[in-house]
Amino acid sequence: MRPEGQGSLTAAPASRTVVVAGAGIGGLTAAIALAEQRFHVIVLEKAPQLDQAGAGIQLSPNASSVLLRLGLEKHLADHVVTPDDISIIAARSGRPIVRIPLGASAQTRYGAPYWIIHRADLQAALLRRARENPDIDLQLDAPFEDVSLHASGVTVINREAQQQTSRRAVALVGADGVWSNVRHQHFGGVPASLSGHVAWRGTVDAFKLPRDVSQNRITLWLGAGAHLVAYPVRGGALINIVAIVAGHWDRPGWNEAGDASEIAAEFASRGWSAGARKIVEAADNWRKWALFTVEGAGLAKGPVALLGDAGHAMLPFAAQGAAMAIEDAAVLADCLVRQPDAATEAFRRYAAQRQTRVAQVRRTTWQAGAIYHLPAPVALARNLSMKLLGGRRLLSQRDWIYDWRLA
Ligand SMILES: Cc1cc2nc3c(=O)[nH]c(=O)nc-3n(C[C@H](O)[C@H](O)[C@H](O)COP(=O)(O)OP(=O)(O)OC[C@H]3O[C@@H](n4cnc5c(N)ncnc54)[C@H](O)[C@@H]3O)c2cc1C
């Protein structure tokens, strides 16, 4: 990768150059996958430096398999945790409902690991991998502004050092997140919709929590209208906590400070068990994140494609948003390398391959939310049926998601 801000942008032929807007998880994965296929990739990132924001992220085997294939094993090895299981608990009684096996069971079943990682560690690993490839040219503080189409591709306009810059390329990939300007400019301005849920995210030093929570596991408490997730990141030193509650707070962004007493009071008023409330009270660095979704934008229009949250932001209840961005990146690079001189047709095939899968996964996120948040007494029936099904059969319900591999 060329030193940031010093790219020689006209050196590579436009016919082999792809511009990616956004250096998040999706944009960096796309850049690595495209550069592996010998495209020259210019990544335009709005932020002056790559963000350390966000907390933990689960990477299911459909996503980890792509990252392994792109050569990220050594970049990720020191940062991932492989949880043994997901322990599901009834929030009010504090009683365990079921354990879904992960660890070696997931590895054997899907041929790839189920990992958890701090988001900043994942982004840093992707960046390190990108830096190994001289065909990736990352421009920070370089927001995408506009695109125009012409017979041989696109002209992309962005801002750099307070000036407008334009570059010709064979295609543009909008990986610029839920508030995507590429979607705004080129896909009819389909807006992000407020979901009515707010995610509160915090971390706690592992030694401050009881061992059954700080162990190598994902713990999920289910309550009426809310759920809570805790899992280790940073090699187990920190426990990542996400609390999802109903709400219409709607500030865009990833990193708004949240008031610890507000979220503690919210959970106290719900009558949750002392164990779950202690977890919420232990975190002191809360961040609030209004959950928005994006639907109906389409994923391709001429030689311009959308990828990840820019095209299909979804609720995080199946832990699949980043996984879908990673799958998108692999499919997009594969389609483009098969038709490098026909980006419009390549992106049409990319959209056709992705649309149904993304819609199915999106439906699963809504279903998961509805099931997680059931009120009593239906929640008792849910708990009983989860118990009767057992962890292995619950895991097998996700086979169609985790089994995905690039065709
Ligand atoms: C609480 C919560 C928990 C989650 N947990 C999981 C999980 O466990 N597993 C999972 O798979 N997913 C999870 N997700 C979803 C996941 O975080 C997102 O789907 C994923 O980060 C999307 O990646 P992206 O690259 O598409 O977008 P982003 O990560 O948003 O990256 C977009 C990038 O584009 C840049 N940008 C914006 N505008 C411009 C512009 N005009 N020009 C240039 N650059 C621009 C931004 O600065 C940013 O760097 C979770 C989400 C939430 C809210």
Side-chain angles (χ1 to χ4, degrees):
M1 193 168 86
R2 295 198 187 117
E4 283 137 36
Q6 294 174 24
S8 150
L9 303 172
T10 46
S15 62
R16 210 58 204 183
T17 298
V18 178
V19 174
V20 175
I25 295 165
L28 286 175
T29 309
I32 295 164
L34 285 163
E36 287 278 300
Q37 303 289 359
R38 309 188 66 88
F39 285 96
H40 170 69
V41 189
I42 300 167
V43 184
L44 302 174
E45 168 56 49
K46 177 168 85 171
Q49 59 190 39
L50 289 184
D51 211 347
Q52 296 293 300
I57 196 156
Q58 301 178 44
L59 286 174
S60 50
N62 47 320
S64 68
S65 61
V66 173
L67 299 178
L68 289 170
R69 201 174 51 79
L70 291 176
L72 276 125
E73 185 162 14
K74 71 170 195 271
H75 309 78
L76 290 167
D78 290 341
H79 306 285
V80 292
V81 172
T82 308
D84 295 331
D85 53 45
I86 303 177
S87 169
I88 305 184
I89 297 180
R92 281 176 78 93
S93 68
R95 283 198 201 103
I97 303 172
V98 71
R99 273 196 190 154
I100 301 177
L102 295 176
S105 302
Q107 172 75 53
T108 308
R109 192 174 183 96
Y110 305 113
Y114 195 111
W115 281 330
I116 43 190
I117 187 169
H118 197 288
R119 185 185 292 269
D121 292 341
L122 174 58
Q123 200 167 23
L126 288 165
L127 193 57
R128 280 199 300 281
R129 181 75 182 113
R131 285 202 168 110
E132 290 168 2
N133 195 320
D135 277 323
I136 299 177
D137 184 352
L138 172 63
Q139 301 289 314
L140 296 175
D141 206 2
F144 160 87
E145 288 196 341
D146 207 351
V147 59
S148 58
L149 310 191
H150 47 77
S152 54
V154 293
T155 299
V156 178
I157 297 173
N158 73 290
R159 192 153 287 277
E160 241 165 271
Q162 276 136 41
Q163 295 197 341
Q164 268 198 344
T165 307
S166 71
R167 312 152 198 277
R168 286 171 80 89
V170 67
L172 167 69
V173 179
D176 49 346
V178 67
W179 309 108
S180 170
N181 196 19
V182 176
R183 188 179 74 241
H184 179 71
Q185 298 290 346
H186 194 68
F187 288 78
V190 171
S193 316
L194 192 58
S195 69
H197 297 279
V198 179
W200 288 69
R201 298 163 300 124
T203 50
V204 189
D205 289 330
F207 69 83
K208 292 187 181 159
L209 293 180
R211 244 184 80 68
D212 56 335
V213 175
S214 61
Q215 268 172 350
N216 223 16
R217 78 161 35 110
I218 300 170
T219 311
L220 168 63
W221 288 264
L222 303 183
H227 69 276
L228 179 69
V229 190
Y231 55 78
V233 289
R234 297 256 146 102
L238 275 184
I239 304 299
N240 174 69
I241 298 172
V242 181
I244 307 278
V245 292
H248 292 281
W249 180 77
D250 64 353
R251 197 91 52 82
W254 291 59
N255 217 16
E256 188 88 15
D259 178 353
S261 59
E262 185 186 332
I263 186 72
E266 164 91 41
F267 277 87
S269 72
R270 289 173 181 275
W272 280 35
S273 58
R277 289 209 320 270
K278 264 194 197 125
I279 311 286
V280 174
E281 284 156 15
D284 57 3
N285 55 352
W286 287 104
R287 292 279 180 272
K288 265 159 91 167
W289 190 343
L291 294 179
F292 286 83
T293 60
V294 173
E295 203 167 347
L299 295 181
K301 203 165 171 198
V304 183
L306 293 176
L307 174 155
D309 278 9
H312 49 66
M314 56 181 69
L315 290 168
F317 304 162
Q320 283 299 311
M324 288 302 108
I326 290 168
E327 286 186 11
D328 285 351
V331 175
L332 181 139
D334 185 62
C335 288
L336 202 53
V337 78
R338 287 168 197 262
Q339 291 179 289
D341 302 322
T344 295
E345 184 47 33
F347 283 176
R348 200 174 294 138
R349 284 196 303 114
Y350 156 73
Q353 283 185 44
R354 295 302 298 153
Q355 227 115 29
T356 308
R357 173 149 174 95
V358 166
Q360 284 166 343
V361 173
R362 180 198 299 286
R363 260 198 304 281
T364 301
T365 66
W366 283 106
Q367 283 160 0
I371 292 168
Y372 288 1
H373 293 174
L374 283 172
V378 228
L380 292 174
R382 172 203 62 204
N383 298 355
L384 185 63
S385 75
M386 280 182 161
K387 235 181 212 144
L388 289 174
L389 263 177
R392 284 191 186 279
R393 279 171 59 202
L394 283 169
L395 179 65
S396 72
Q397 291 178 349
R398 293 277 165 94
D399 282 356
W400 67 276
I401 299 183
Y402 302 161
D403 263 341
W404 180 91
R405 294 295 179 274
L406 185 62

